[in-house]
Amino acid sequence: MKIEQIQQIIEVAQVGSINRASQNLYIAQSTLSSSIKCVETELRQKLFIRTQKGIEQTEFGKIFVKYIDEGNEEPI
């Protein structure tokens, strides 16, 4: 897992949308989606549930984001 992927996951969690997060991060939506899927495969856990209304964090996703963002003094 790369630091960029962690930043991407935090951004998606904060805005609740892969589309908005990709715009905020200045990357293609498909690139962001692929990056998240790679992390989910690496962790063997889903971080987000994709719905028609957008994206929701799984329980594991909530714990993971809290863990990776907990030590930061400033938001990523």
Side-chain angles (χ1 to χ4, degrees):
M1 187 178 325
K2 299 176 182 177
I3 189 72
E4 293 86 10
Q5 291 172 310
I6 292 172
Q7 292 169 329
Q8 292 166 356
I9 290 166
I10 291 171
E11 183 66 24
V12 172
Q14 288 176 343
V15 300
S17 166
I18 289 179
N19 186 38
R20 267 187 281 153
S22 68
Q23 292 171 355
N24 293 349
L25 296 166
Y26 303 102
I27 60 175
Q29 183 177 347
S30 59
T31 301
L32 179 55
S33 185
S34 294
S35 180
I36 290 170
K37 286 180 183 178
C38 286
V39 172
E40 289 177 332
T41 300
E42 183 179 336
L43 295 173
R44 298 182 191 173
Q45 292 283 335
K46 291 285 185 189
L47 298 172
F48 302 100
I49 299 170
R50 288 124 181 111
T51 68
Q52 292 179 352
K53 294 181 179 180
I55 201 160
E56 296 177 13
Q57 289 179 280
T58 62
E59 287 303 313
F60 178 82
K62 290 175 186 175
I63 293 167
F64 182 76
V65 169
K66 183 178 179 183
Y67 175 78
I68 62 176
D69 198 29
E70 196 169 78
N72 296 322
E73 293 179 18
E74 297 179 22
I76 292 178

Coordinates of all heavy atoms in Angstrom, one line a residue:
M1 N 0.8 -1.2 0.0 CA 0.0 0.0 0.0 C 0.9 1.2 0.0 O 1.9 1.3 0.7 CB -0.9 0.0 1.2 CG -1.9 1.0 1.3 SD -3.0 0.9 2.8 CE -3.2 -0.8 3.0
K2 N 0.5 2.2 -0.8 CA 1.3 3.4 -1.0 C 0.6 4.6 -0.2 O -0.6 4.5 0.0 CB 1.4 3.8 -2.4 CG 2.2 2.7 -3.2 CD 2.2 3.1 -4.7 CE 2.9 2.0 -5.5 NZ 2.8 2.3 -6.9
I3 N 1.4 5.6 0.1 CA 0.8 6.7 0.8 C -0.2 7.4 0.0 O -1.2 7.9 0.5 CB 2.0 7.7 1.2 CG1 1.4 8.8 2.1 CG2 2.6 8.4 0.0 CD1 1.1 8.4 3.5
E4 N -0.1 7.4 -1.4 CA -1.1 8.0 -2.2 C -2.4 7.3 -2.1 O -3.5 7.9 -2.1 CB -0.7 8.0 -3.7 CG 0.5 8.8 -4.0 CD 1.9 8.2 -3.7 OE1 1.9 6.9 -3.5 OE2 2.9 8.9 -3.8
Q5 N -2.4 6.0 -1.9 CA -3.6 5.2 -1.8 C -4.3 5.5 -0.4 O -5.5 5.6 -0.4 CB -3.3 3.7 -1.9 CG -2.9 3.3 -3.3 CD -2.4 1.8 -3.3 OE1 -1.6 1.4 -2.5 NE2 -3.0 1.1 -4.3
I6 N -3.5 5.7 0.6 CA -4.0 6.1 1.9 C -4.7 7.4 1.8 O -5.8 7.6 2.3 CB -2.9 6.1 3.0 CG1 -2.5 4.6 3.2 CG2 -3.4 6.7 4.3 CD1 -1.3 4.5 4.1
Q7 N -4.1 8.4 1.1 CA -4.7 9.7 1.0 C -6.0 9.6 0.2 O -6.9 10.3 0.5 CB -3.7 10.6 0.2 CG -2.5 11.0 1.1 CD -1.4 11.7 0.3 OE1 -1.2 11.4 -0.9 NE2 -0.6 12.5 1.0
Q8 N -6.0 8.8 -0.8 CA -7.2 8.6 -1.6 C -8.3 8.0 -0.8 O -9.5 8.5 -0.9 CB -6.9 7.7 -2.8 CG -5.9 8.3 -3.8 CD -5.4 7.3 -4.8 OE1 -5.6 6.1 -4.7 NE2 -4.6 7.8 -5.8
I9 N -8.0 7.0 0.0 CA -9.1 6.4 0.8 C -9.7 7.4 1.8 O -10.9 7.5 2.0 CB -8.5 5.1 1.5 CG1 -8.2 4.0 0.5 CG2 -9.4 4.7 2.6 CD1 -7.3 2.9 1.0
I10 N -8.8 8.2 2.4 CA -9.3 9.2 3.3 C -10.2 10.2 2.6 O -11.2 10.6 3.1 CB -8.1 9.9 4.1 CG1 -7.4 8.9 5.0 CG2 -8.6 11.1 4.8 CD1 -6.1 9.3 5.6
E11 N -9.8 10.6 1.4 CA -10.6 11.6 0.7 C -11.9 11.0 0.3 O -12.9 11.7 0.5 CB -9.8 12.1 -0.6 CG -10.5 13.1 -1.4 CD -10.6 14.5 -0.7 OE1 -9.8 14.8 0.2 OE2 -11.5 15.2 -1.0
V12 N -12.0 9.8 -0.2 CA -13.2 9.2 -0.5 C -14.1 9.1 0.7 O -15.3 9.4 0.7 CB -13.0 7.8 -1.2 CG1 -14.4 7.1 -1.3 CG2 -12.3 7.9 -2.5
A13 N -13.5 8.7 1.8 CA -14.3 8.6 3.1 C -14.9 9.9 3.5 O -16.0 10.0 4.0 CB -13.4 8.0 4.2
Q14 N -14.1 11.0 3.3 CA -14.5 12.3 3.8 C -15.6 12.9 2.9 O -16.6 13.5 3.4 CB -13.3 13.3 3.8 CG -12.4 13.0 4.9 CD -11.2 13.9 4.9 OE1 -10.8 14.5 3.9 NE2 -10.5 14.0 6.0
V15 N -15.5 12.7 1.6 CA -16.5 13.3 0.7 C -17.6 12.3 0.3 O -18.7 12.8 -0.2 CB -15.9 13.9 -0.6 CG1 -14.9 14.9 -0.3 CG2 -15.3 12.8 -1.5
G16 N -17.5 11.0 0.5 CA -18.5 10.1 0.3 C -18.8 9.8 -1.2 O -19.9 9.3 -1.5
S17 N -17.8 10.1 -2.0 CA -18.1 9.9 -3.5 C -16.7 9.7 -4.2 O -15.8 10.5 -4.0 CB -18.8 11.2 -4.1 OG -18.7 11.2 -5.5
I18 N -16.6 8.7 -5.0 CA -15.4 8.5 -5.8 C -15.3 9.6 -6.8 O -14.2 10.1 -7.0 CB -15.4 7.1 -6.4 CG1 -15.2 6.0 -5.3 CG2 -14.3 7.0 -7.5 CD1 -15.2 4.6 -5.9
N19 N -16.3 10.0 -7.4 CA -16.3 11.0 -8.4 C -15.8 12.4 -7.8 O -14.8 13.0 -8.4 CB -17.7 11.2 -9.1 CG -17.6 12.2 -10.2 OD1 -16.7 12.2 -11.0 ND2 -18.7 13.0 -10.3
R20 N -16.4 12.8 -6.7 CA -15.9 14.0 -6.1 C -14.5 13.9 -5.6 O -13.7 14.9 -5.7 CB -16.8 14.4 -5.0 CG -17.9 15.4 -5.4 CD -18.7 15.9 -4.3 NE -19.6 14.9 -3.9 CZ -20.2 14.7 -2.7 NH1 -19.8 15.5 -1.7 NH2 -21.0 13.7 -2.4
A21 N -14.1 12.8 -5.0 CA -12.8 12.6 -4.5 C -11.8 12.6 -5.7 O -10.7 13.2 -5.5 CB -12.7 11.3 -3.8
S22 N -12.1 12.0 -6.8 CA -11.2 12.0 -8.0 C -11.0 13.5 -8.5 O -9.9 13.8 -8.8 CB -11.7 11.1 -9.1 OG -12.9 11.6 -9.7
Q23 N -12.0 14.3 -8.5 CA -11.9 15.7 -8.8 C -11.0 16.4 -7.9 O -10.2 17.2 -8.3 CB -13.3 16.3 -8.9 CG -14.1 15.8 -10.1 CD -15.6 16.3 -10.0 OE1 -16.0 17.0 -9.1 NE2 -16.4 16.0 -11.0
N24 N -11.2 16.2 -6.6 CA -10.4 16.9 -5.6 C -9.0 16.5 -5.6 O -8.1 17.3 -5.3 CB -11.0 16.6 -4.2 CG -12.4 17.2 -3.9 OD1 -12.8 18.0 -4.7 ND2 -13.0 16.7 -2.8
L25 N -8.7 15.2 -6.0 CA -7.3 14.7 -6.1 C -6.7 14.9 -7.4 O -5.5 14.6 -7.6 CB -7.3 13.2 -5.7 CG -7.8 12.9 -4.2 CD1 -8.0 11.4 -4.1 CD2 -6.7 13.4 -3.3
Y26 N -7.5 15.4 -8.4 CA -7.0 15.6 -9.8 C -6.5 14.3 -10.4 O -5.5 14.3 -11.1 CB -5.9 16.7 -9.8 CG -6.4 18.0 -9.2 CD1 -6.0 18.4 -8.0 CD2 -7.2 18.9 -10.0 CE1 -6.4 19.6 -7.4 CE2 -7.6 20.1 -9.4 CZ -7.3 20.4 -8.2 OH -7.7 21.6 -7.6
I27 N -7.3 13.3 -10.3 CA -7.0 12.0 -10.9 C -8.3 11.5 -11.6 O -9.4 11.9 -11.2 CB -6.4 10.9 -10.0 CG1 -7.4 10.6 -8.8 CG2 -5.1 11.4 -9.4 CD1 -6.9 9.5 -7.9
A28 N -8.1 10.6 -12.5 CA -9.3 10.0 -13.2 C -10.1 9.1 -12.2 O -9.5 8.5 -11.4 CB -8.9 9.2 -14.4
Q29 N -11.4 9.2 -12.4 CA -12.3 8.4 -11.5 C -11.9 6.9 -11.6 O -11.9 6.2 -10.6 CB -13.7 8.6 -11.9 CG -14.7 7.8 -11.1 CD -16.2 8.2 -11.4 OE1 -16.4 9.1 -12.2 NE2 -17.1 7.4 -10.9
S30 N -11.6 6.4 -12.8 CA -11.3 5.0 -13.0 C -10.0 4.6 -12.3 O -9.8 3.5 -11.8 CB -11.1 4.7 -14.5 OG -10.2 5.5 -15.1
T31 N -9.0 5.6 -12.3 CA -7.7 5.4 -11.6 C -8.0 5.3 -10.1 O -7.4 4.4 -9.4 CB -6.8 6.5 -11.9 OG1 -6.6 6.6 -13.3 CG2 -5.4 6.4 -11.2
L32 N -8.8 6.1 -9.6 CA -9.1 6.1 -8.1 C -9.8 4.8 -7.8 O -9.5 4.2 -6.8 CB -10.0 7.3 -7.7 CG -10.4 7.4 -6.3 CD1 -9.2 7.3 -5.3 CD2 -11.2 8.7 -6.1
S33 N -10.8 4.4 -8.6 CA -11.6 3.2 -8.3 C -10.7 2.0 -8.3 O -10.7 1.1 -7.5 CB -12.7 3.1 -9.4 OG -13.5 1.9 -9.1
S34 N -9.8 1.9 -9.3 CA -8.8 0.8 -9.4 C -7.9 0.8 -8.2 O -7.6 -0.3 -7.6 CB -8.0 0.9 -10.7 OG -8.8 0.7 -11.8
S35 N -7.4 2.0 -7.8 CA -6.6 2.1 -6.6 C -7.2 1.5 -5.3 O -6.6 0.8 -4.6 CB -6.1 3.5 -6.4 OG -5.3 3.7 -5.3
I36 N -8.5 1.9 -5.2 CA -9.2 1.4 -4.0 C -9.4 -0.1 -4.0 O -9.2 -0.8 -3.0 CB -10.6 2.2 -3.9 CG1 -10.4 3.6 -3.5 CG2 -11.5 1.5 -2.8 CD1 -11.6 4.5 -3.6
K37 N -9.7 -0.6 -5.2 CA -9.9 -2.0 -5.4 C -8.6 -2.8 -5.1 O -8.6 -3.9 -4.5 CB -10.4 -2.4 -6.8 CG -11.9 -2.0 -6.9 CD -12.4 -2.4 -8.3 CE -13.8 -1.9 -8.5 NZ -14.3 -2.2 -9.8
C38 N -7.5 -2.2 -5.5 CA -6.2 -2.8 -5.1 C -5.9 -2.9 -3.6 O -5.5 -3.9 -3.1 CB -5.0 -2.1 -5.8 SG -4.9 -2.3 -7.6
V39 N -6.3 -1.8 -2.9 CA -6.1 -1.8 -1.5 C -7.0 -2.8 -0.8 O -6.6 -3.6 0.0 CB -6.3 -0.4 -0.9 CG1 -6.3 -0.5 0.6 CG2 -5.2 0.5 -1.4
E40 N -8.3 -2.9 -1.3 CA -9.2 -3.8 -0.8 C -8.7 -5.3 -1.0 O -8.9 -6.1 -0.1 CB -10.6 -3.6 -1.4 CG -11.3 -2.3 -0.9 CD -12.6 -2.1 -1.6 OE1 -12.8 -2.5 -2.8 OE2 -13.4 -1.4 -1.0
T41 N -8.2 -5.5 -2.1 CA -7.6 -6.9 -2.4 C -6.4 -7.2 -1.5 O -6.3 -8.3 -0.9 CB -7.2 -7.0 -3.9 OG1 -8.3 -6.7 -4.7 CG2 -6.6 -8.3 -4.2
E42 N -5.6 -6.2 -1.3 CA -4.4 -6.4 -0.4 C -4.9 -6.6 1.0 O -4.3 -7.5 1.7 CB -3.6 -5.1 -0.5 CG -2.3 -5.2 0.3 CD -1.4 -4.0 0.2 OE1 -1.5 -3.2 -0.8 OE2 -0.6 -3.7 1.2
L43 N -5.9 -5.9 1.5 CA -6.4 -6.1 2.8 C -7.3 -7.3 3.0 O -7.6 -7.7 4.1 CB -7.1 -4.8 3.3 CG -6.3 -3.5 3.4 CD1 -7.2 -2.3 3.7 CD2 -5.2 -3.7 4.5
R44 N -7.8 -7.8 1.8 CA -8.8 -8.9 1.8 C -10.1 -8.4 2.6 O -10.7 -9.3 3.2 CB -8.2 -10.1 2.4 CG -7.1 -10.7 1.7 CD -6.6 -12.0 2.2 NE -5.3 -12.3 1.6 CZ -4.6 -13.3 2.0 NH1 -4.9 -14.1 3.0 NH2 -3.4 -13.5 1.4
Q45 N -10.4 -7.1 2.5 CA -11.6 -6.6 3.1 C -12.1 -5.5 2.2 O -11.3 -4.7 1.6 CB -11.2 -6.0 4.5 CG -10.9 -7.0 5.5 CD -12.1 -7.7 6.1 OE1 -13.2 -7.2 6.1 NE2 -11.8 -8.9 6.6
K46 N -13.4 -5.3 2.2 CA -14.0 -4.2 1.5 C -14.0 -3.0 2.4 O -14.2 -3.0 3.6 CB -15.5 -4.5 1.1 CG -15.7 -5.5 0.1 CD -15.3 -5.0 -1.3 CE -15.6 -6.0 -2.4 NZ -15.1 -5.5 -3.7
L47 N -13.6 -1.8 1.8 CA -13.6 -0.6 2.6 C -14.8 0.2 2.3 O -15.3 0.9 3.2 CB -12.3 0.3 2.1 CG -11.0 -0.3 2.4 CD1 -9.9 0.5 1.8 CD2 -10.8 -0.5 3.9
F48 N -15.4 0.1 1.1 CA -16.5 0.8 0.7 C -17.6 -0.1 0.0 O -17.2 -1.1 -0.6 CB -16.1 1.9 -0.3 CG -15.1 2.9 0.3 CD1 -13.8 2.8 -0.1 CD2 -15.5 3.9 1.1 CE1 -12.9 3.7 0.4 CE2 -14.6 4.8 1.6 CZ -13.3 4.7 1.3
I49 N -18.8 0.3 0.2 CA -19.9 -0.4 -0.5 C -20.4 0.6 -1.6 O -20.7 1.8 -1.3 CB -21.1 -0.7 0.4 CG1 -20.6 -1.7 1.5 CG2 -22.2 -1.3 -0.4 CD1 -21.6 -1.9 2.6
R50 N -20.4 0.2 -2.8 CA -20.8 1.1 -3.9 C -22.3 0.9 -4.0 O -22.8 -0.2 -4.2 CB -20.1 0.7 -5.2 CG -18.6 1.1 -5.2 CD -17.7 -0.1 -5.5 NE -16.3 0.3 -5.5 CZ -15.5 -0.1 -4.5 NH1 -15.9 -0.9 -3.5 NH2 -14.2 0.2 -4.6
T51 N -23.0 2.1 -4.0 CA -24.5 2.1 -4.1 C -24.9 3.0 -5.2 O -24.0 3.7 -5.8 CB -25.1 2.6 -2.8 OG1 -24.8 3.9 -2.6 CG2 -24.7 1.8 -1.6
Q52 N -26.1 3.0 -5.6 CA -26.6 3.9 -6.6 C -26.5 5.4 -6.2 O -26.4 6.3 -7.0 CB -28.1 3.6 -7.0 CG -28.2 2.3 -7.7 CD -29.6 2.0 -8.0 OE1 -30.5 2.7 -7.6 NE2 -29.8 0.9 -8.8
K53 N -26.5 5.6 -4.9 CA -26.4 7.0 -4.3 C -25.0 7.4 -4.1 O -24.8 8.6 -3.7 CB -27.2 7.1 -3.0 CG -28.7 6.8 -3.2 CD -29.4 7.0 -1.8 CE -30.9 6.8 -2.0 NZ -31.6 6.9 -0.7
G54 N -24.1 6.6 -4.3 CA -22.7 6.9 -4.1 C -21.9 5.8 -3.4 O -22.0 4.6 -3.8
I55 N -21.2 6.1 -2.4 CA -20.4 5.1 -1.7 C -20.5 5.2 -0.2 O -20.7 6.3 0.3 CB -18.9 5.3 -2.2 CG1 -18.1 4.1 -2.0 CG2 -18.3 6.5 -1.5 CD1 -16.9 4.1 -2.8
E56 N -20.5 4.1 0.5 CA -20.6 4.1 1.9 C -19.5 3.3 2.5 O -19.1 2.3 1.8 CB -21.9 3.4 2.4 CG -23.2 4.2 2.0 CD -24.5 3.5 2.4 OE1 -24.4 2.5 3.2 OE2 -25.5 3.9 1.9
Q57 N -19.0 3.6 3.6 CA -17.9 2.9 4.2 C -18.5 1.6 4.9 O -19.6 1.6 5.5 CB -17.2 3.7 5.3 CG -16.4 4.8 4.8 CD -15.8 5.5 5.9 OE1 -16.4 6.4 6.5 NE2 -14.5 5.2 6.2
T58 N -17.8 0.5 4.8 CA -18.1 -0.7 5.5 C -17.7 -0.5 7.0 O -17.0 0.5 7.3 CB -17.4 -1.9 5.0 OG1 -16.0 -1.7 5.1 CG2 -17.7 -2.2 3.5
E59 N -18.1 -1.3 7.9 CA -17.6 -1.2 9.3 C -16.1 -1.3 9.3 O -15.5 -0.6 10.0 CB -18.3 -2.3 10.1 CG -19.7 -2.1 10.4 CD -20.0 -0.7 11.1 OE1 -19.2 -0.4 12.1 OE2 -20.9 0.0 10.7
F60 N -15.5 -2.3 8.6 CA -14.1 -2.4 8.5 C -13.5 -1.1 7.9 O -12.5 -0.6 8.4 CB -13.7 -3.6 7.6 CG -12.2 -3.7 7.5 CD1 -11.4 -4.3 8.4 CD2 -11.5 -3.1 6.4 CE1 -10.0 -4.4 8.3 CE2 -10.1 -3.2 6.2 CZ -9.4 -3.8 7.2
G61 N -14.1 -0.5 6.9 CA -13.6 0.7 6.3 C -13.6 1.9 7.3 O -12.6 2.7 7.3
K62 N -14.6 2.0 8.1 CA -14.7 3.0 9.2 C -13.5 2.9 10.1 O -12.9 3.9 10.5 CB -16.0 3.0 9.9 CG -17.2 3.4 9.1 CD -18.5 3.2 9.8 CE -19.7 3.5 8.9 NZ -21.0 3.3 9.6
I63 N -13.3 1.6 10.6 CA -12.2 1.4 11.5 C -10.9 1.7 10.9 O -10.0 2.3 11.5 CB -12.3 -0.1 12.0 CG1 -13.5 -0.2 12.9 CG2 -11.0 -0.4 12.8 CD1 -13.9 -1.7 13.2
F64 N -10.7 1.2 9.6 CA -9.4 1.4 8.9 C -9.1 2.9 8.7 O -8.0 3.3 9.0 CB -9.5 0.7 7.6 CG -8.2 0.8 6.8 CD1 -7.1 0.0 7.1 CD2 -8.1 1.6 5.7 CE1 -5.9 0.1 6.4 CE2 -7.0 1.7 5.0 CZ -5.9 0.9 5.3
V65 N -10.1 3.7 8.3 CA -9.9 5.1 8.0 C -9.6 5.8 9.3 O -8.7 6.6 9.4 CB -11.1 5.7 7.3 CG1 -11.0 7.2 7.3 CG2 -11.2 5.2 5.9
K66 N -10.3 5.4 10.4 CA -10.0 6.1 11.7 C -8.6 5.7 12.1 O -7.9 6.6 12.6 CB -11.0 5.5 12.7 CG -10.8 6.2 14.1 CD -11.8 5.7 15.1 CE -11.6 6.3 16.4 NZ -12.5 5.8 17.4
Y67 N -8.2 4.5 11.9 CA -6.8 4.1 12.3 C -5.8 4.8 11.5 O -4.8 5.3 12.1 CB -6.7 2.6 12.1 CG -5.3 2.1 12.4 CD1 -4.8 1.9 13.7 CD2 -4.4 1.8 11.3 CE1 -3.5 1.4 13.9 CE2 -3.1 1.3 11.5 CZ -2.7 1.1 12.8 OH -1.4 0.7 13.1
I68 N -5.9 4.9 10.2 CA -4.9 5.5 9.4 C -4.9 7.1 9.5 O -3.9 7.7 9.2 CB -4.9 5.1 7.9 CG1 -6.3 5.6 7.2 CG2 -4.7 3.7 7.7 CD1 -6.4 5.3 5.8
D69 N -6.0 7.6 9.9 CA -6.1 9.1 10.0 C -5.9 9.6 11.4 O -5.7 10.7 11.7 CB -7.5 9.6 9.5 CG -7.5 11.0 9.2 OD1 -6.4 11.6 8.8 OD2 -8.6 11.6 9.3
E70 N -5.8 8.6 12.4 CA -5.8 9.0 13.8 C -4.5 9.7 14.2 O -4.5 10.7 15.0 CB -5.9 7.7 14.6 CG -6.2 8.0 16.1 CD -6.6 6.7 16.8 OE1 -5.7 5.9 17.1 OE2 -7.8 6.4 17.0
G71 N -3.4 9.3 13.6 CA -2.1 9.9 14.0 C -1.8 11.2 13.4 O -0.8 11.9 13.7
N72 N -2.6 11.7 12.4 CA -2.3 12.9 11.7 C -2.8 14.1 12.5 O -3.9 14.1 12.9 CB -3.0 12.9 10.3 CG -2.4 11.8 9.5 OD1 -1.3 11.5 9.5 ND2 -3.3 11.1 8.7
E73 N -1.9 15.1 12.6 CA -2.3 16.3 13.2 C -3.1 17.2 12.3 O -4.0 17.9 12.7 CB -1.1 17.1 13.7 CG -0.4 16.4 14.8 CD 0.9 17.2 15.2 OE1 1.0 18.3 14.9 OE2 1.7 16.5 15.9
E74 N -2.8 17.1 11.0 CA -3.6 17.8 9.9 C -4.2 16.8 9.0 O -3.7 15.7 8.8 CB -2.6 18.7 9.1 CG -2.0 19.8 9.9 CD -1.0 20.6 9.0 OE1 -1.2 20.6 7.8 OE2 -0.1 21.2 9.6
P75 N -5.5 17.1 8.6 CA -6.1 16.1 7.6 C -5.3 16.0 6.4 O -4.6 17.0 5.9 CB -7.4 16.8 7.3 CG -7.6 17.9 8.2 CD -6.3 18.2 8.9
I76 N -5.3 14.8 5.8 CA -4.6 14.6 4.6 C -5.4 15.1 3.4 O -6.6 15.0 3.3 CB -4.3 13.1 4.4 CG1 -3.3 12.6 5.4 CG2 -3.8 12.8 3.0 CD1 -3.0 11.1 5.3

